[in-house]
């Protein structure tokens, strides 16, 4: 963060809320011309502050609004088993987030499904095919209260 100035942080805050602005519109908001704003954006992208630009889709409208947090305990702890688990889950579409965590479980998955039946099928047929899993524990989301889709820039 030592290389970011006030304008960089302002650009990041603006883009975090709406990444659909043109460079010209961003320049107006930070009181600079388009050329230095374009250069700043390229630097922020190159240095990894901006990872990518995305559209946030409505899971309910796409009939995938059933959210589950699934805790995973591996069969045993070693590098090969952990790497095998990570490789196996990377291409499973229902899993949108995966965290390696401490405590009673090894990983926390955020899963989107159509409904309970879809989630049951996912557990039996997709997670069930991941040989490194020892046990799972599912928590079903009743309502999403806050999701900022990223970080709060302080």
């Amino acid at each position: 963060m030592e290389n970011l100035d006030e304008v960089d942080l302002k650009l990041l805050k603006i883009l975090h809320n709406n990444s659909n602005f043109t460079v010209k519109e961003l320049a107006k908001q930070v009181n600079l011309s388009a050329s230095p704003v374009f250069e700043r954006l390229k630097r922020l992208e190159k240095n990894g502050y901006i990872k990518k630009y995305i559209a946030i889709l409505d899971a309910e409208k796409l009939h995938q609004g059933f959210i589950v947090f699934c805790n995973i305990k591996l069969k045993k702890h070693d590098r090969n088993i952990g790497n095998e688990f990570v490789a196996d889950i990377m291409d499973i579409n229902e899993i949108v987030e995966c965290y390696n965590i401490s405590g009673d479980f090894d990983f926390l998955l955020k899963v989107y499904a159509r409904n309970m039946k879809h989630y049951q099928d996912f557990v039996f047929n997709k997670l069930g095919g991941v040989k490194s899993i020892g046990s799972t524990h599912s928590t079903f989301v009743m309502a999403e209260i806050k999701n900022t889709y990223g970080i709060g820039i302080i």
Side-chain angles (χ1 to χ4, degrees):
M1 279 264 306
E2 62 276 350
N3 296 332
L4 299 182
D5 63 15
E6 200 173 304
V7 175
D8 291 331
L9 291 172
K10 189 170 184 180
L11 283 169
L12 290 173
K13 286 179 184 179
I14 293 166
L15 289 170
H16 188 265
N17 289 320
N18 183 353
S19 66
N20 207 28
F21 287 115
T22 64
V23 172
K24 187 176 178 181
E25 291 168 329
L26 287 169
K28 186 176 181 180
Q29 292 187 51
V30 296
N31 297 316
L32 290 175
S33 63
S35 185
V37 168
F38 178 79
E39 293 303 318
R40 283 174 180 265
L41 291 175
K42 291 300 163 202
R43 179 176 45 81
L44 291 167
E45 292 168 2
K46 180 183 172 210
N47 293 335
Y49 290 98
I50 298 172
K51 290 186 174 189
K52 67 179 177 176
Y53 299 92
I54 64 168
I56 298 170
L57 306 179
D58 187 318
E60 288 290 331
K61 288 186 180 203
L62 294 168
H63 306 291
Q64 297 176 46
F66 189 71
I67 305 169
V68 184
F69 288 96
C70 182
N71 290 291
I72 303 292
K73 189 177 286 191
L74 298 179
K75 286 183 178 178
K76 67 179 186 171
H77 293 107
D78 72 34
R79 182 178 305 146
N80 292 334
I81 295 289
N83 289 338
E84 179 184 312
F85 170 79
V86 170
D88 286 346
I89 61 109
M90 291 306 285
D91 292 328
I92 300 175
N93 288 335
E94 289 89 347
I95 301 171
V96 296
E97 296 176 34
C98 175
Y99 301 95
N100 184 204
I101 59 173
S102 65
D104 294 335
F105 295 94
D106 301 309
F107 291 91
L108 174 65
L109 307 178
K110 183 175 182 182
V111 178
Y112 280 92
R114 287 186 296 278
N115 51 38
M116 181 64 84
K117 184 164 179 47
H118 180 205
Y119 183 70
Q120 179 186 27
D121 181 67
F122 161 80
V123 169
F124 287 152
N125 296 309
K126 291 189 179 177
L127 281 186
V130 178
K131 303 294 183 225
S132 55
I133 294 176
S135 65
T136 65
H137 177 268
S138 300
T139 302
F140 304 100
V141 174
M142 296 187 332
E144 185 176 80
I145 307 302
K146 180 180 179 181
N147 188 336
T148 58
Y149 302 100
I151 62 165
I153 301 172
I154 302 170

